[in-house]
Amino acid sequence: MQPLPKEYNFADIERKWQKKWEEMGIYHYDWNDKERVPFSIDTPPPYPSGELHMGNVLNWTYFDMVARYKRMQGFNVLFPQGWDCHGLGIEIQVEKTYNIRKRDVPPEQFRKWCMELVERYIAMMKEGILKLGCSIDWTTEYRTMDPDYWRRTQLSFILLYKKGYMYQGTHPVNWCPHDETAIADAEVDYVKRDGVLHYIRFPFEDKSDYALIATSRPEFIPACVAIEVNPNDERYSKYVGKRIVVPIVNRSVTVIADECVDPAFGTGVVMICTYGDKEDVKTVIKHKLPVIMLLTENGRINENGGKYAGLTINQARAAIVEDLTAAGLLEKTEKITQEIGVCDRCKAHVEILERKQWFMNTRKLTDAVEKTANEIVWYPDYMKNRLIDWTKSLDWDWVISRQRLFATPIPVWYCKKCGELILAKENWVPIDPKLENPHIGKCPKCGGKDFTAEQDVFDTWMDSSITCAVHAGWPDRADWKHLFPADVHPSGTDIIRTWAYYLIVRHLALFDEKPFKSCLINGMVLGSDGRKMSKSLKNYAAAPEVLNKNGADATRQWAAGGGATGSDIPYRAQDVEYGRRFLVKLWNASSFTSKLLADYKPDANAKLDLQPLDKWIISKAENLTKKVTEEFEKCQFNVAMEDIRNFTWHVFCDYYLEAVKDRLYNPDLSGTTKKLAAQDTLYQVLYRILQLLAPVAPHLTEEIYQHMFKDYRGFESLQVSPWPKFNAAIVDEEAEKNGDMIIATMIAFRNFKAENKQALNAQYSCLTINTGSAEYAKILKASFEDIRGTLKVNELIITPQKKPDGRQISPYDMYFEAKQ
Ligand SMILES: [Zn+2]
Ligand SMILES: [Zn+2]
């Protein structure tokens, strides 16, 4: 047996194994293996955003623990890695970096800058992921910005168009005026902001009176198309049907009745504008009201705003309030707190514009999504409700077109002459319709030969919501269904409404099949003070620093053990440090064990005289195996982590190793089956610890394995050794109970020495243990030599007598008398 070096140098060890594992190719999914059962992880391709952060560390540790555990379970594991490149985030970053707006440079130049930035960010994230020791199969690496990936996104669109899921329509959509693009419901965040409620007089056309209307958005007055009251509101029911003059624009509108109006809000009289908010959209559809679009795509007032045309929304509000005041129509103002929708990328106030867009008919899948969500296993289970609630809350279809540049092109043209829509054929993709004409000579409808390309591009979620099929090899491999649906889709609490939802609708629509069998949810990483981690709050931890300082294995323990799966967990430096102290403890214990085993050779046929404490720890290790296996199966990583650490630290290091030292050092026992029993137990139990810990702390366990176990076990790496199978026959409850008593006796005497300010190895001439029971005496006597040796006692007397005048051993109600 090779002795283990004294020093645990995590930096060298981790670097070494990261390189060697890659060379060994143990992470490669074997596409030709027809024997092992495949296990496919739908790694969500991350949005490259620069340096790896602690949230990423948490995600990837989860993915990787599952991958490593399943590999040891004998599965043919697919752990792919892609990068979700497109989208607003990168465009905004490029605009900031070069201090431009997207239209200031030619589109090719803009896209080139986006790609360069993405590559820089990918390199940074990849470095972090490698440092964390993730067992990714890098031969699968892909980028959604590559034309080869466009091909898949475009093909999925063509198929869904043919199935009737894709349509164009002029509908109200969420619009970010800063980024000048449509965005989906999932990209709207809701925040509380201070606002002002303006109480404005709207005179009746017959000049008899006026209605008082409270609004926080007076700038929308030029787009007012109706006034609405609740028909059950006695104050106003008489207004219904009357004509009211909209101030500023002097246009008359009708007062309509709708029970949706809340009489308690504002004055109870409401103006309907197109569109102040989503409620307006519902009212317009319900009452078939006209639409007056007021805003331009970059958030200014258009020609419908008359004299306010060209002003920004804020400027228009100020000007209109000024004019209303001058006209004596502003009765009062009131400060309020309101909830408004903002763009999740740039935080601009989201407006509602009516624009021609591409939509996916997702609402018709609502019931199917709910059914699928119930078929999927969720870790933790209650997370499925987040998806179901979200699905049911959606009242608009998914708008899949964007008015941006860095994205997959929509493979569509229009005939210049007759407007006919030409959809790319399945074998034309990847294709950029702005650079290439459709591969047909003429318009099938009118014979026209000129075409215009679709200018819009896809929402980036169109790329990333087909990964379960793509990872499986769709559409290129005939056997892609071998890996589909994916076995697990890992997701965060923050992206259930996007990632999990879009994956489910896309795959259901495309293949009539759920995309994944289970969904593993991680929570968010909070700062050390329990608040959201942020650089400005000084509670921020940079992942590369944490990894450099403590190593991957210690950091991964924080991620595994920080909290229940799915719950938010705080980043605390002391948790990582605790992880590192644990590894040092295990390293030192292994190094010590390797010395105790210097003359030991494992031999399955060797005769062993197992002592009570040997049987005790062997049984406990078996029960631990059962528990940890069940916990990994249920993705309860924090519980598994705690169980392994407790066993290693307390049962193995503190008690067993201490209690068998004497048997191993005692020259009288040299070459006996009693000594061999201790050596063999140490060897088997330490190996078991390394295996159970291997998914969490792969580097340290591998290093110890290679020194002490590889020659005998024969596996190239601990990572491909078979996960231990629980064997109920090994469990010996009586041995555990007896061992607990023996250990309690030893601890009591150790404490006795400590209280008397004596060294633990202080020698005693005589110790009498008055057990007070024949049964207890028998149990202790069976471990006579281990007790005597460990406690450093020359003469040990164990009696069934009860003599309560000595030192009590709780909780067994024994007493001992000691003589030095
Ligand atoms: Zn925005
Ligand atoms: Zn035509």
Side-chain angles (χ1 to χ4, degrees), residues 176 179 343 346:
C176 174
D179 298 322
C343 167
C346 74

Side-chain angles (χ1 to χ4, degrees), residues 13-25:
I13 289 173
E14 293 185 354
R15 220 180 357 252
K16 176 175 82 185
W17 287 110
Q18 282 159 13
K19 191 162 162 274
K20 284 204 172 181
W21 283 325
E22 198 56 53
E23 287 164 8
M24 289 177 186

